Amino acid sequence: MGVGNYARVKKLDKVYAIGTLAEYISKGAGCEYFKTKEEFLEKVGKEIIFSEGDIILVKASNGMKFREIVEKLWDII
C-alpha cells in the first residue's frame, strides 16, 4: 500500500505532501499538495494551523533541505 493510500485509510487528520516527487502521495491521500517547500512555508502558521496535542511527522528528503520545515514548525508550536 502506498503512503498516500495508507494515510487515507488511516483517516489521519492532516497530511501535506511537499515536493514534486510527493505529488503521487497527495493523489493517494487526497491531501493538500505543495510543489515546493517555500509554498508550504508561506502558509504554515497562517493558513495551516496546528493545535496543542497534534503529532507532526515529517518524512522528507534531506536533499531538499526539509530541515527548514522542521525548524519553521518548531518556531510556530
Side-chain angles (χ1 to χ4, degrees), residues 14-31:
K14 299 173 187 175
V15 176
Y16 302 100
I18 305 165
T20 55
L21 297 176
E23 187 172 10
Y24 69 94
I25 294 172
S26 71
K27 290 177 181 176
C31 68

Side-chain angles (χ1 to χ4, degrees), residues 23-69:
E23 187 172 10
Y24 69 94
I25 294 172
S26 71
K27 290 177 181 176
C31 68
E32 193 165 356
Y33 167 69
F34 298 91
K35 189 172 186 175
T36 67
K37 75 172 182 260
E38 290 77 19
E39 289 178 18
F40 176 78
L41 291 172
E42 284 179 25
K43 290 191 175 190
V44 73
K46 297 174 187 165
E47 297 175 37
I48 299 172
I49 306 297
F50 296 100
S51 301
E52 186 175 336
D54 284 353
I55 297 171
I56 301 169
L57 167 67
V58 178
K59 192 304 189 186
S61 164
N62 195 39
M64 291 185 68
K65 298 182 181 171
F66 269 38
R67 67 175 164 69
E68 295 171 10
I69 291 175

